[in-house]
Amino acid sequence: MMDSTPRIYFYSAQKYDQAFFEAANTAHGFDLAFTDAPLNADTARLADGAEVICAFVNDTLDAACLRALADAGVRTVALRCAGFNHVDLPEAKRLGLAVVSVPAYSPEAVAEHTLALILTLNRNTHRAYARVREGDFNLKGLLGFNLNGRTVGLIGTGRIGVATARVLSGLGVALLGYDVYENSAFKALGGQYVALDDLYARADIISLHCPLTESNHYMINAESIARMRDGVMLVNTSRGGLVDTEAVIAALKSKKVGHLALDVYEQESDVFFRDLSDEILADDTLSRLLTFPNVLITGHQGFFTQEAMTQIAEVTLQNVAAVSRDEVCDNELTRRL
């Protein structure tokens, strides 16, 4: 059992992280410290003297990093995100580190951002905005299509997938779903579960809402794209590693993929959450994506609402409080191993 008011060291912390966590901390009184440095084996030493570290989705918690954290005296790893594929959980368990996460936070935040991406990309509102600002009111190249009557395929129908189905259902679309586990809430919205190949073949828009695992890494690849409808719209607000970016670029060039919206990117840890406006973008793949007029990329902001940030901060600190009191924490990942 650790001190009832442990020190928590936050990595990859932005000013908004600090603001929300300090607000949530009024109910706990923990000693909070923040750095914008990412967490890896080299920066783990910064947490020396802290019982708890708080990491984000793009931090690197491999075996070397976890060993360095344990050597620094850290006993709890608190993830302020739902995904944990970037954590070597067996090694954490071996080292006696408790790893806790935030499995659900305002699924509506990501669902609504998904809808925003679809509508913006379809109706070219981002391009229209830029044109009008320059006094150009020409409609050339801004033609979209009615969503009403179209078919949307959702890969993953958990909390976020169902929330996305809910906001889309009001637009008059047909909903197809694929998931290892069927969700009655998706069916209640009129959703139909189909085989993955069937979803690929029928959907005008395909949106990803599943965790990243070894089995679905690059599930969107040259072969799966070939089974999709010509001109399909692909949307990924889930995990960058679900998409083989080079395969998608080839499909954009051949016009097999008609629209692409990304809020996540496999190599995003080197780019996202940073201001690179005065620098040359070193990522050639991302640079190529940005040249397509039918590609829309946002910097992993799907979670970024007041409600979601408040929930993330509150649940993270509640997780730490439970572990510090040696209580059973439902969000402890290492306990399940």
Side-chain angles (χ1 to χ4, degrees):
M1 183 174 180
M2 66 176 68
D3 191 300
S4 60
T5 56
R7 184 168 192 255
I8 309 175
Y9 196 83
F10 290 75
Y11 285 90
S12 300
Q14 305 294 328
K15 292 296 184 182
Y16 49 78
D17 292 307
Q18 184 170 346
F20 278 97
F21 273 92
E22 287 180 343
N25 193 42
T26 57
H28 299 279
F30 295 139
D31 178 14
L32 309 184
F34 300 86
T35 181
D36 60 1
L39 173 59
N40 53 49
D42 294 327
T43 59
R45 59 182 174 77
L46 298 175
D48 188 40
E51 298 91 341
V52 183
I53 65 94
C54 186
F56 195 43
V57 66
N58 288 326
D59 289 320
T60 304
L61 289 95
D62 55 14
C65 176
L66 293 171
R67 287 194 293 268
L69 289 174
D71 290 342
V74 172
R75 284 175 279 178
T76 301
V77 173
L79 304 176
R80 58 183 189 274
C81 54
F84 51 87
N85 56 283
H86 57 310
V87 185
D88 188 336
L89 289 177
E91 181 66 10
K93 179 80 169 181
R94 189 188 71 79
L95 293 167
L97 294 171
V99 180
V100 293
S101 68
V102 185
Y105 50 86
S106 185
E108 292 77 19
V110 181
E112 291 169 11
H113 190 67
T114 300
L115 177 62
L117 291 175
I118 292 171
L119 291 172
T120 300
L121 190 55
N122 174 32
R123 299 306 298 270
N124 292 290
T125 48
H126 56 311
R127 298 176 64 196
Y129 172 80
R131 283 188 190 183
V132 170
R133 296 274 293 181
E134 298 297 323
D136 182 356
F137 299 89
N138 195 332
L139 299 183
K140 182 181 178 180
L142 303 183
L143 186 67
F145 56 84
N146 284 8
L147 289 177
N148 184 274
R150 299 280 176 163
T151 298
V152 179
L154 302 177
I155 300 178
T157 56
R159 293 183 180 92
I160 294 175
V162 167
T164 304
R166 188 174 298 114
V167 297
L168 286 170
S169 62
L171 298 174
V173 303
L175 294 169
L176 301 181
Y178 172 80
D179 202 311
V180 177
Y181 304 101
E182 294 190 0
N183 190 334
S184 59
F186 178 70
K187 293 180 180 179
L189 292 167
Q192 175 190 1
Y193 280 102
V194 295
L196 190 55
D197 280 349
D198 194 18
L199 185 148
Y200 287 151
R202 295 169 56 186
D204 300 294
I205 300 170
I206 296 175
S207 189
L208 305 178
H209 301 283
C210 51
L212 177 63
T213 65
E214 291 183 6
S215 62
N216 66 12
H217 182 249
Y218 283 177
M219 68 179 302
I220 304 301
N221 53 46
E223 292 183 359
S224 60
I225 292 172
R227 297 196 290 273
M228 297 177 190
R229 302 190 66 172
D230 292 344
V232 66
M233 179 188 289
L234 295 178
V235 183
N236 188 11
T237 56
S238 189
R239 292 290 179 268
L242 296 169
V243 175
D244 181 344
T245 311
E246 296 296 340
V248 171
I249 288 175
L252 285 164
K253 291 168 66 176
S254 71
K255 300 183 180 180
K256 178 69 177 182
V257 171
H259 304 82
L260 175 68
L262 301 176
D263 187 52
V264 290
Y265 171 62
E266 187 173 22
Q267 305 301 326
E268 68 177 61
S269 60
D270 296 327
V271 181
F272 286 7
F273 307 109
R274 303 179 186 183
D275 181 1
L276 303 178
S277 57
D278 291 329
E279 301 180 26
I280 295 174
L281 191 59
D283 188 321
D284 292 340
T285 301
L286 183 57
S287 295
R288 182 68 179 98
L289 279 175
L290 292 171
T291 66
F292 290 96
N294 53 344
V295 171
L296 178 60
I297 299 175
T298 53
H300 204 141
Q301 71 179 79
F303 74 99
F304 199 51
T305 66
Q306 294 180 2
E307 292 81 2
M309 289 295 293
T310 297
Q311 290 180 27
I312 289 170
E314 290 177 349
V315 173
T316 299
L317 296 185
Q318 288 167 8
N319 289 340
V320 172
V323 173
S324 72
R325 295 190 294 263
D326 203 25
E327 298 174 354
V328 174
C329 177
D330 292 337
N331 298 328
E332 184 177 341
L333 301 170
T334 38
R335 190 182 293 271
R336 304 172 193 172
L337 298 180

